[in-house]
Amino acid sequence: LQESMHAYAANVYTSVVEELMKGKQRKFIAVEQEFFRLWWDAVATDMHKQQVHKLLQEGRLEFVIGGQVMHDEAVTLIDDQILQLTEGHGFLYETFGIRPQFSWHVDPFGASATTPTLFAMAGFNAHLISRIDYDLKADMQKNKKLQFVWQGSPSLSESQEIFTHVMDQYSYCTPSQIPFSNRSGFYWNGIAVFPDPPKDGVYPNMSLPVTDTNIHLYAQTMVANIKERASWFRTSDVLWPWGCDKQFFNASVQYSNMDLVLDYINEHSDQFGVIVQYATVGDYFQAVYNRSLAWEIRDSRDFFPYSTEPFQAWTGFYTSRSILKGIARRASSLLYAGESFFTQYVRKQPASSICKCQALKQLQSLRWAVSEVQHHDGITGTESPKVKDMYVDNLMYGMFNVKKLMASIIFDLNNAEKNGEVYSYVYSKDAGKPDVDQYVIVYNPLAWNITTFVMVSISHSSVNVYDELGHSVPAQIQSSAESHFTYDLYILVAISGLSYRKYSVKPSLGKQSAFIGRSVKYKQKDITRACQQSRRLLPVVNDCYQIMFDQDTNLMHSITERETNQTVRLTQEFLEYHVNGDVKKGPISDNYLFAPNTSAVPVSKAVGLEVISGNLVTEIRQYFYSNVTAQEYVYVVYTRMYMVPDGYDGKLLCHRIEQEYSAGPLELNREAVLRTSTNLNTGQLLYTDSNGYQIQKRLFKAYVNNTVARNYYPMVQTAYIEDSSTRLMLLAERAHGVSSQGNGQVEVMLHRRLWNNLEWDLNYNLTLNDTSVVRPVFWLILGTKSVTNTLYRTSGLALEHRPVVMFGALSGDKPKLAGQLQLNSVHSSVTVPPNLHLQTLSIPGWKYSSNHTEQVHSVHMGKQKQGDADFSRVLLRIRHLYEVGEDPVLSQPVIVNLKSLLKGLGSVMSVEERSLTGTWDINTLKRWKWKTAQYPSKGFSNNTETSENCIVTVHPMEIRTFFVYFQDQ
């Protein structure tokens, strides 16, 4: 499929460029850079390349969006949306000196309010979407409200608003019904067949060629459709999309026929009342902008969930292919760590032994893989198994490269013996079981000081753990739930921002320094026969919480937040939605859709319990069986609570109840959820995050049909429920569907395994027969609104960016530590306040000039810089994590001195503030200001105030982007 897609994409660009050159009136828009770059680098001739430059200058070829892909909007993280946009924009600016200014987000399944905000920050003048709820679209269309000015962020409001166009009911493909033929109309090249195109050039479903006898009929059909659409919009400009998925592989037959139709309509424009022309998206928006109308403002509400019919709620993909969703996020997090690690290394070790160009290639392989999987048929899980495997292979290859790079940097910094072994191992469940007598290197990729536990699997039951200076480090060892042959070693690590520590793990010969976790197993309980009267409760306690387990059922009973002494009744159970797989019998669930037959059914009648308690960690293991006699469990919950010794900052660690679930393999046509039920009076109100950037309020809505599925929402990082005083927060490390199906309830969909006989799904192998076992991790935080407010943003990022763990073997002599300690001295750590996040610290490697006039000149003269990447430019992004008015302290603007922030990397020589993707100097970026009732004058909107002398004030929800240059050492 990858080959056929490449063949198809290569064909399109070759064909389109050649045809555009044959007619001055012809135009074309191109979106995803991944495909264009494959063509540009591997297929395009020098002649083609000259033609592309010419077409871009004439405005006849227009790049819209300009990211690597058209990203999904429901299940992607803001960092990854920005990454894929930046990747594409960097290439376009470096190669052509152009900067896309319009979007074409026609295919993602629902629209997020984060996307328009990011597009505004990237300098876009207008945004275009299509897939929104069918009944909402019908209503907007009838009332001519498909166009509006969207203020996607409440805090940034009009400073980052953007004019948004929603496509009408015909969406982004040309309407194909023509009354005079049983074939589709306007698709003269037919349906793509690759990689083996028909020898005779006759493709399936080719439209009737335009002839003297049918040209009037073609014109009539097109004009009728244009006029129908004109009635749904306020201006007399009608956007009529020509094309669809996999079109224009034979652009010659497309344009030669359409030229005739357009000319005919224009020759008879008096009769038709319509004038037509080829246009780009930019042409269309320019025409609408020139009308100077005042537009309605839409607030920060988004367009989720998306339904296309009463029983077609596109809420299944929020969870589909959970393993792919997990790997994509792990890869993103490793990339984030690798970028800052490499940037510091280049700054601090200018005469390094590592080839910087090779290192950049290693990082680029992961940038590409993480960008690519953000596609709306990638991380969504809506691809065939073969394509899913391609995404996973590319992600694993990129992760392998970055781990290798990080290990070689550690080697270089420690002047280690080159025959030693440093291998990297990200998070606790990766391959590789270190043997004892080795060191564990732990890198903190966040720009905050963190205190947390890292877990490593070892083969000895008694060990000592020491830091770089030989001091004993708090640790706990216990038998592993995974295997009888290994032990879980929890090491308490305290690491300053963007720094690493090195711990040695040695078998204890005599005095044991690590605490032992002791196991108590409780009898399996039949939960259907639990007696309601006599509650025997088992308490598990740390400094922040007391959790009670009911000994009659082995289920959780309640959680008490110890500071306020507030107790919340809280139980958790696994349920499954049963779904239909036969289209003859009713609605089906598939990769995209969720269509449950009935309410969710509880899956287990018996629960086993084991409690491992120790001085640092208590782990509660609950095993869920289908009935009392079942030998194999189907689901597991591991709940961990942490105790923090004196002298450590344990605020975040103590307030997190960590849960890891194991679900699968499921039976066929089952969708697994974990439902948490509380006595909080929530009125079924749910809050979910939008791409890890902002929070959306989700009111429960009753529908005639499909109410369960239409009240599912995407959760990328955060979801919570609350009553007037208390909030229960869930933080996740991958995307899930989430819903509140009852008062005080929140349920998370963990896994889906489906099969159906819908012909389309069978043809594309989209039946989601996913037999895997998934192991997602959640952190629960319970407390008052004010306490959870101060914790959840930092905690969400701490879960996203857990420390990177690498191993090395200890050689006989003491490891040389001087260089490493010096690298880690407090002065060199990079730390921001808790309401800011260092979102990017990387060396992009672009060779373009940051002076636009110079860059355009060098492109036109064919003098773009050749040779090695530019390692002197550092890309820095700082993000404010809070909304205006969300918290009395954390919502305040923050003044940052970039010189002192980055002094550990060297002496800052100059700073340039840039647009989100780096291609605009913020001082020259003037976006179109669309008229609204509030702001009747039209003009250009300037961005926020810029930095003076490296001092920047970061306001709530802002993301500020800089190029930083250092004095050479």
Side-chain angles (χ1 to χ4, degrees):
L1 210 135
Q2 194 177 11
E3 296 77 47
S4 80
M5 205 59 213
H6 288 180
Y8 159 73
N11 234 46
V12 168
Y13 284 113
T14 301
S15 176
V16 165
V17 167
E18 289 170 359
E19 287 308 309
L20 288 175
M21 296 308 290
K22 293 178 186 168
K24 278 282 185 213
Q25 76 287 10
R26 296 173 173 181
K27 297 194 175 186
F28 193 79
I29 61 167
V31 180
E32 298 181 305
Q33 288 311 300
E34 175 153 334
F35 288 128
F36 180 78
R37 290 171 81 168
L38 289 166
W39 176 77
W40 184 259
D41 292 338
V43 179
T45 61
D46 286 348
M47 183 61 149
H48 285 139
K49 291 186 177 182
Q50 285 169 20
Q51 291 172 338
V52 168
H53 278 282
K54 183 172 161 43
L55 290 165
L56 286 167
Q57 279 167 40
E58 292 173 2
R60 300 203 291 117
L61 173 63
E62 180 173 87
F63 287 114
V64 287
I65 310 178
Q68 286 292 90
V69 296
M70 186 189 297
H71 68 252
D72 166 67
E73 300 192 38
V75 297
T76 47
L77 196 59
I78 181 175
D79 308 59
D80 302 327
Q81 294 184 5
I82 294 171
L83 170 78
Q84 73 86 19
L85 208 54
T86 303
E87 269 299 291
H89 284 191
F91 162 76
L92 287 174
Y93 195 53
E94 187 167 85
T95 315
F96 305 114
I98 64 154
R99 307 177 280 204
Q101 285 171 32
F102 304 99
S103 97
W104 180 257
H105 251 228
V106 295
D107 213 15
F109 322 130
S112 151
T114 300
T115 303
T117 306
L118 292 187
F119 285 167
M121 291 180 187
F124 286 18
N125 287 318
H127 178 39
L128 185 147
I129 61 177
S130 181
R131 292 182 181 266
I132 67 169
D133 218 58
Y134 69 100
D135 41 12
L136 178 62
K137 181 179 276 199
D139 188 58
M140 291 167 77
Q141 185 170 287
K142 191 174 77 201
N143 295 306
K144 295 194 181 189
K145 295 198 171 187
L146 290 170
Q147 294 170 316
F148 46 84
V149 170
W150 197 354
Q151 296 185 348
S153 158
S155 295
L156 301 175
S157 65
E158 87 260 18
S159 72
Q160 301 299 349
E161 69 189 15
I162 192 164
F163 180 81
T164 303
H165 172 102
V166 184
M167 291 190 132
D168 58 43
Q169 69 188 43
Y170 291 106
S171 193
Y172 66 90
C173 291
T174 313
S176 58
Q177 292 304 119
I178 48 174
F180 54 92
S181 165
N182 56 6
R183 287 190 242 166
S184 296
F186 307 101
Y187 294 97
W188 291 285
N189 58 194
I191 293 169
V193 183
F194 286 100
D196 302 311
K199 298 269 184 292
D200 58 2
V202 177
Y203 285 80
N205 204 16
M206 291 171 81
S207 301
L208 284 178
V210 177
T211 61
D212 289 350
T213 52
N214 67 19
I215 191 161
H216 188 73
L217 298 170
Y218 261 118
Q220 271 182 323
T221 305
M222 185 168 173
V223 166
N225 185 258
I226 289 169
K227 286 183 169 170
E228 182 188 10
R229 293 172 128 161
S231 68
W232 300 329
F233 291 94
R234 290 178 59 204
T235 76
S236 53
D237 314 288
V238 178
L239 177 92
W240 200 79
W242 177 39
C244 195
D245 299 5
K246 302 199 185 81
Q247 281 293 308
F248 288 91
F249 54 90
N250 178 352
S252 168
V253 63
Q254 287 283 82
Y255 281 111
S256 59
N257 281 283
M258 189 55 104
D259 285 349
L260 297 170
V261 178
L262 298 192
D263 289 347
Y264 184 86
I265 293 174
N266 288 338
E267 282 159 18
H268 300 86
S269 62
D270 292 354
Q271 176 194 339
F272 287 125
V274 166
I275 297 169
V276 284
Q277 66 169 79
Y278 288 116
T280 63
V281 189
D283 294 336
Y284 171 70
F285 280 127
Q286 182 75 62
V288 176
Y289 182 66
N290 290 346
R291 301 278 179 188
S292 289
L293 269 63
W295 299 95
E296 278 188 17
I297 288 179
R298 181 183 176 89
D299 62 16
S300 59
R301 284 167 305 152
D302 63 13
F303 292 96
F304 288 119
Y306 162 60
S307 290
T308 39
E309 287 175 21
F311 284 101
Q312 289 187 349
W314 296 52
T315 56
F317 80 92
Y318 302 159
T319 307
S320 297
R321 300 206 190 284
S322 180
I323 288 188
L324 173 64
K325 286 176 164 64
I327 293 172
R329 286 275 281 276
R330 283 217 329 248
S332 161
S333 173
L334 179 65
L335 176 63
Y336 175 75
E339 295 279 14
S340 65
F341 202 57
F342 177 65
T343 303
Q344 292 184 85
Y345 175 72
V346 169
R347 291 299 325 137
K348 294 173 186 174
Q349 309 282 327
S352 65
S353 65
I354 291 174
C355 165
K356 291 199 298 240
C357 293
Q358 179 53 33
L360 195 59
K361 283 200 173 77
Q362 289 173 305
L363 283 167
Q364 277 166 341
S365 69
L366 190 52
R367 289 176 191 169
W368 267 63
V370 173
S371 294
E372 164 188 272
V373 79
Q374 307 311 316
H375 188 278
H376 57 274
D377 279 314
I379 194 167
T380 49
T382 55
E383 64 286 274
S384 69
K386 204 166 154 184
V387 178
K388 179 259 301 176
D389 292 342
M390 173 199 82
Y391 284 121
V392 171
D393 289 348
N394 292 351
L395 289 164
M396 297 307 263
Y397 173 71
M399 287 170 82
F400 173 74
N401 282 333
V402 170
K403 289 173 181 181
K404 215 160 60 176
L405 170 63
M406 293 181 79
S408 55
I409 289 175
I410 298 262
F411 255 140
D412 198 49
L413 293 174
N414 285 285
N415 310 315
E417 300 296 313
K418 285 287 181 271
N419 57 8
E421 178 92 2
V422 174
Y423 53 96
S424 154
Y425 151 109
V426 180
Y427 309 144
S428 54
K429 294 289 184 287
D430 273 18
K433 291 276 184 283
D435 266 317
V436 176
D437 211 6
Q438 59 178 358
Y439 52 88
V440 177
I441 292 131
V442 184
Y443 177 61
N444 167 24
L446 290 164
W448 301 314
N449 300 339
I450 62 157
T451 302
T452 190
F453 282 97
V454 296
M455 197 280 277
V456 296
S457 297
I458 57 170
S459 50
H460 283 247
S461 61
S462 61
V463 292
N464 297 331
V465 181
Y466 303 102
D467 66 12
E468 302 90 344
L469 299 173
H471 299 144
S472 183
V473 173
Q476 178 174 320
I477 192 160
Q478 58 199 44
S479 64
S480 165
E482 297 293 291
S483 114
H484 299 308
F485 307 106
T486 59
Y487 297 88
D488 296 343
L489 175 64
Y490 287 88
I491 304 170
L492 183 65
V493 299
I495 314 178
S496 50
L498 267 54
S499 303
Y500 74 92
R501 299 283 308 270
K502 187 164 161 181
Y503 301 92
S504 48
V505 178
K506 299 180 173 175
S508 59
L509 310 160
K511 189 166 174 295
Q512 159 90 0
S513 75
F515 297 113
I516 307 275
R518 310 266 174 212
S519 160
V520 179
K521 290 193 169 104
Y522 294 84
K523 207 168 147 241
Q524 185 188 357
K525 290 297 184 332
D526 179 346
I527 58 177
T528 57
R529 306 188 37 206
C531 108
Q532 295 303 311
Q533 284 74 39
S534 65
R535 284 262 180 248
R536 293 177 306 139
L537 301 178
L538 170 74
V540 179
V541 185
N542 73 359
D543 286 344
C544 296
Y545 300 113
Q546 172 176 278
I547 305 184
M548 290 290 196
F549 286 85
D550 184 335
Q551 293 197 284
D552 292 324
T553 60
N554 287 341
L555 295 173
M556 201 180 278
H557 170 270
S558 60
I559 303 179
T560 303
E561 203 276 315
R562 295 184 62 190
E563 199 179 346
T564 56
N565 210 18
Q566 187 93 25
T567 299
V568 173
R569 286 291 307 272
L570 189 147
T571 58
Q572 293 183 311
E573 61 174 339
F574 290 101
L575 302 100
E576 287 174 353
Y577 287 101
H578 293 208
V579 297
N580 164 46
D582 183 356
V583 287
K584 294 188 191 71
K585 290 186 178 157
I588 51 120
S589 272
D590 63 10
N591 298 48
Y592 310 89
L593 308 176
F594 172 40
N597 276 348
T598 51
S599 304
V601 181
V603 284
S604 93
K605 298 200 166 90
V607 182
L609 180 71
E610 180 183 4
V611 178
I612 316 277
S613 42
N615 293 37
L616 300 175
V617 184
T618 300
E619 182 174 68
I620 302 102
R621 300 171 182 169
Q622 291 166 287
Y623 300 94
F624 292 77
Y625 298 86
S626 54
N627 57 53
V628 191
T629 56
Q631 297 301 302
E632 296 289 314
Y633 51 81
V634 196
Y635 294 92
V636 190
V637 179
Y638 303 100
T639 302
R640 302 181 192 102
M641 290 171 74
Y642 298 107
M643 279 63 76
V644 186
D646 289 348
Y648 286 86
D649 171 15
K651 188 178 169 201
L652 283 185
L653 195 50
C654 169
H655 276 98
R656 104 182 34 139
I657 299 169
E658 179 169 286
Q659 291 200 311
E660 183 176 350
Y661 309 126
S662 173
L666 302 179
E667 289 174 42
L668 205 53
N669 287 328
R670 298 283 188 272
E671 317 212 17
V673 302
L674 179 91
R675 182 178 291 167
T676 301
S677 305
T678 70
N679 62 345
L680 297 176
N681 183 19
T682 62
Q684 273 184 278
L685 187 57
L686 173 69
Y687 295 84
T688 66
D689 70 319
S690 169
N691 311 105
Y693 176 62
Q694 55 193 13
I695 297 291
Q696 291 277 357
K697 187 174 180 174
R698 309 298 193 185
L699 296 154
F700 190 88
K701 299 191 184 92
Y703 295 94
V704 178
N705 296 311
N706 218 18
T707 293
V708 170
R710 289 185 79 173
N711 280 284
Y712 255 79
Y713 292 94
M715 162 192 190
V716 177
Q717 228 173 22
T718 313
Y720 63 87
I721 55 173
E722 62 184 21
D723 64 10
S724 52
S725 61
T726 308
R727 181 182 286 168
L728 172 68
M729 206 127 210
L730 276 62
L731 301 171
E733 39 71 84
R734 70 187 73 177
H736 299 272
V738 63
S739 186
S740 178
Q741 295 285 339
N743 188 22
Q745 283 184 5
V746 56
E747 66 180 55
V748 179
M749 192 179 287
L750 301 177
H751 201 12
R752 322 177 69 216
R753 183 182 172 198
L754 311 168
W755 188 87
N756 70 71
N757 56 7
L758 182 68
E759 198 173 337
W760 194 84
D761 280 342
L762 292 174
N763 288 346
Y764 290 98
N765 198 359
L766 290 176
T767 55
L768 202 68
N769 190 358
D770 182 347
T771 55
S772 62
V773 177
V774 297
R775 301 288 301 262
V777 173
F778 283 79
W779 288 356
L780 275 55
I781 302 175
L782 179 75
T784 60
K785 292 180 189 181
S786 58
V787 166
T788 53
N789 245 353
T790 59
L791 296 170
Y792 83 97
R793 299 214 179 249
T794 35
S795 295
L797 284 157
L799 174 56
E800 187 66 36
H801 299 297
R802 287 167 287 182
V804 177
V805 179
M806 292 171 278
F807 296 100
L810 284 174
S811 46
D813 55 343
K814 280 264 182 349
K816 302 191 186 84
L817 294 165
Q820 188 243 328
L821 277 177
Q822 167 208 331
L823 186 91
N824 261 340
S825 63
V826 180
H827 308 296
S828 74
S829 72
V830 179
T831 314
V832 297
N835 51 354
L836 295 187
H837 170 44
L838 188 75
Q839 185 155 0
T840 309
L841 181 66
S842 76
I843 294 177
W846 303 310
K847 300 187 283 274
Y848 63 68
S849 165
S850 52
N851 176 314
H852 184 62
T853 314
E854 271 177 32
Q855 176 60 13
V856 170
H857 182 70
S858 66
V859 168
H860 288 182
M861 302 302 287
K863 289 189 180 148
Q864 294 104 307
K865 294 186 187 135
Q866 298 304 315
D868 287 350
D870 177 358
F871 290 92
S872 68
R873 174 187 290 154
V874 171
L875 175 66
L876 169 74
R877 283 193 193 96
I878 297 175
R879 171 174 148 211
H880 197 302
L881 294 171
Y882 283 81
E883 298 279 3
V884 170
E886 187 178 355
D887 183 273
V889 178
L890 297 168
S891 291
Q892 296 302 316
V894 185
I895 297 170
V896 181
N897 181 330
L898 298 178
K899 274 191 170 163
S900 54
L901 174 69
L902 300 173
K903 66 176 184 290
L905 276 70
S907 174
V908 172
M909 184 174 67
S910 67
V911 172
E912 300 166 355
E913 183 159 6
R914 308 291 292 185
S915 61
L916 183 69
T917 59
T919 53
W920 291 86
D921 172 346
I922 211 77
N923 299 301
T924 63
L925 174 57
K926 293 188 167 40
R927 296 196 307 122
W928 296 354
K929 179 83 185 146
W930 294 75
K931 276 166 64 169
T932 58
Q934 286 90 320
Y935 301 95
S937 68
K938 188 182 90 174
F940 292 103
S941 73
N942 261 351
N943 245 319
T944 48
E945 89 242 34
T946 55
S947 48
E948 289 299 317
N949 298 332
C950 304
I951 309 270
V952 189
T953 304
V954 187
H955 294 274
M957 297 311 282
E958 280 188 340
I959 300 173
R960 304 286 287 275
T961 304
F962 306 93
F963 289 164
V964 183
Y965 304 91
F966 293 87
Q967 280 166 10
D968 279 335
Q969 293 142 316

